[in-house]
Amino acid sequence: MSNFQKAKSVLFALAMIASGVLLLVAGQSGIVFVALALSVLLMAYGIKKLAFYLTMARHMVGGKMLLYLGIIALDVGTLALTFLDSPNIIVVLYLVGAYALSGVLSVLRSREAQKLGGSWKLRMCSGVVSLLVAATCIVFIQDATILLYVFAAGLIYSACLRIIQTLRTTDIIYIA
């Protein structure tokens, strides 16, 4: 990972911490702000993947996967943007779904890394915590204050893990 990528990752983690603090301070309107940020980020990610597909990936092996990923991310981001006018319960369910999906993907990736002999413990911990946040939010879906605290704690924890993963030294394999 280059220094620019590390800086970008740390800045994104700091934005996640700021979003967690915003959730604690703003209350119910903070959930709408976080959902808005999530939808804009998903749409930007989808547009980025589609642009990469149109410029280079269509000539690559497996390039269609990037096309599908870009379309799905753009659609999910647009769907999240349409939920902002609806009641907060729908926005909360959408955020819980995003946490659950993130947790499942992290657990699956860590199991794959474990089978291949790579580092997997931090990613497994991150996935399990994401799944616990999603489960706790479903249990306390009627109590808005507990829900806000759980979301904020989950965001701050994920951001701290992201900073740890970014600043951690990794093994470099040299092929002579």
Side-chain angles (χ1 to χ4, degrees):
M1 185 180 283
S2 69
N3 288 335
F4 178 72
Q5 289 173 329
K6 286 182 180 182
K8 190 168 67 169
S9 181
V10 168
L11 286 176
F12 187 74
L14 292 175
M16 286 173 62
I17 290 173
S19 296
V21 171
L22 177 73
L23 269 177
L24 291 174
V25 173
Q28 289 288 10
S29 61
I31 291 179
V32 175
F33 176 75
V34 171
L36 176 68
L38 179 68
S39 64
V40 168
L41 286 174
L42 278 170
M43 289 171 53
Y45 179 76
I47 290 170
K48 178 183 170 186
K49 290 297 177 188
L50 288 175
F52 181 67
Y53 172 78
L54 291 174
T55 56
M56 291 185 66
R58 65 180 171 198
H59 305 295
M60 295 170 33
V61 174
K64 284 191 179 181
M65 184 60 77
L66 292 173
L67 173 69
Y68 300 144
L69 183 65
I71 290 172
I72 289 171
L74 190 61
D75 286 345
V76 170
T78 307
L79 182 68
L81 199 59
T82 61
F83 283 156
L84 292 179
D85 291 337
S86 54
N88 281 343
I89 192 76
I90 295 174
V91 174
V92 168
L93 287 174
Y94 188 77
L95 289 174
V96 167
Y99 258 106
L101 181 65
S102 170
V104 167
L105 289 176
S106 291
V107 167
L108 290 176
R109 285 181 182 163
S110 70
R111 298 260 313 166
E112 182 181 1
Q114 182 183 15
K115 288 179 184 176
L116 295 175
S119 63
W120 58 273
K121 294 176 185 174
L122 193 61
R123 184 173 284 169
M124 176 67 84
C125 184
S126 171
V128 168
V129 168
S130 293
L131 287 173
L132 286 174
V133 166
T136 307
C137 288
I138 288 175
V139 169
F140 294 110
I141 201 155
Q142 297 299 326
D143 192 2
T145 57
I146 293 176
L147 201 62
L148 286 173
Y149 291 142
V150 169
F151 268 137
L155 271 175
I156 292 170
Y157 178 77
S158 297
C160 291
L161 277 182
R162 185 181 198 106
I163 290 173
I164 289 170
Q165 284 178 337
T166 301
L167 299 178
R168 188 175 67 180
T169 58
T170 56
D171 296 332
I172 299 174
I173 300 173
Y174 290 104
I175 300 174

Short mmCIF file of all heavy atoms in Angstrom, two decimals, residues 83-92:
data_model
loop_
_atom_site.label_atom_id
_atom_site.label_comp_id
_atom_site.label_asym_id
_atom_site.label_seq_id
_atom_site.Cartn_x
_atom_site.Cartn_y
_atom_site.Cartn_z
N PHE A 83 -34.72 6.02 -0.02
CA PHE A 83 -35.25 5.71 1.31
C PHE A 83 -35.16 6.88 2.28
O PHE A 83 -35.71 6.81 3.37
CB PHE A 83 -34.51 4.52 1.93
CG PHE A 83 -34.93 3.19 1.38
CD1 PHE A 83 -34.06 2.13 1.45
CD2 PHE A 83 -36.16 3.01 0.82
CE1 PHE A 83 -34.42 0.89 0.96
CE2 PHE A 83 -36.54 1.78 0.32
CZ PHE A 83 -35.67 0.72 0.39
N LEU A 84 -34.45 7.93 1.93
CA LEU A 84 -34.23 9.02 2.89
C LEU A 84 -35.52 9.76 3.24
O LEU A 84 -35.62 10.31 4.32
CB LEU A 84 -33.19 9.99 2.34
CG LEU A 84 -31.78 9.45 2.24
CD1 LEU A 84 -30.84 10.50 1.68
CD2 LEU A 84 -31.28 8.96 3.58
N ASP A 85 -36.50 9.78 2.34
CA ASP A 85 -37.76 10.46 2.63
C ASP A 85 -38.72 9.60 3.43
O ASP A 85 -39.69 10.11 3.97
CB ASP A 85 -38.44 10.88 1.32
CG ASP A 85 -37.67 11.98 0.62
OD1 ASP A 85 -36.92 12.69 1.31
OD2 ASP A 85 -37.83 12.13 -0.60
N SER A 86 -38.46 8.32 3.51
CA SER A 86 -39.35 7.41 4.21
C SER A 86 -39.08 7.44 5.70
O SER A 86 -38.12 8.06 6.16
CB SER A 86 -39.20 6.00 3.64
OG SER A 86 -37.87 5.62 3.67
N PRO A 87 -39.88 6.74 6.49
CA PRO A 87 -39.67 6.75 7.95
C PRO A 87 -38.29 6.22 8.33
O PRO A 87 -37.65 5.48 7.58
CB PRO A 87 -40.77 5.82 8.47
CG PRO A 87 -41.78 5.78 7.40
CD PRO A 87 -41.08 6.03 6.11
N ASN A 88 -37.84 6.59 9.52
CA ASN A 88 -36.50 6.22 9.98
C ASN A 88 -36.31 4.73 10.12
O ASN A 88 -35.19 4.24 10.03
CB ASN A 88 -36.19 6.91 11.31
CG ASN A 88 -35.79 8.34 11.11
OD1 ASN A 88 -35.45 8.75 10.02
ND2 ASN A 88 -35.83 9.11 12.18
N ILE A 89 -37.37 3.97 10.33
CA ILE A 89 -37.24 2.53 10.51
C ILE A 89 -36.69 1.87 9.25
O ILE A 89 -35.87 0.95 9.31
CB ILE A 89 -38.57 1.88 10.96
CG1 ILE A 89 -38.35 0.45 11.42
CG2 ILE A 89 -39.59 1.94 9.86
CD1 ILE A 89 -37.76 0.35 12.76
N ILE A 90 -37.08 2.38 8.08
CA ILE A 90 -36.59 1.82 6.82
C ILE A 90 -35.11 2.15 6.65
O ILE A 90 -34.31 1.31 6.22
CB ILE A 90 -37.43 2.33 5.64
CG1 ILE A 90 -38.86 1.80 5.76
CG2 ILE A 90 -36.81 1.91 4.31
CD1 ILE A 90 -39.81 2.33 4.74
N VAL A 91 -34.73 3.36 7.01
CA VAL A 91 -33.32 3.76 6.92
C VAL A 91 -32.49 2.91 7.88
O VAL A 91 -31.40 2.44 7.54
CB VAL A 91 -33.17 5.27 7.23
CG1 VAL A 91 -31.72 5.66 7.30
CG2 VAL A 91 -33.90 6.10 6.19
N VAL A 92 -33.01 2.68 9.08
CA VAL A 92 -32.30 1.85 10.06
C VAL A 92 -32.16 0.42 9.55
O VAL A 92 -31.09 -0.18 9.66
CB VAL A 92 -33.02 1.90 11.42
CG1 VAL A 92 -32.49 0.84 12.35
CG2 VAL A 92 -32.87 3.27 12.04
#
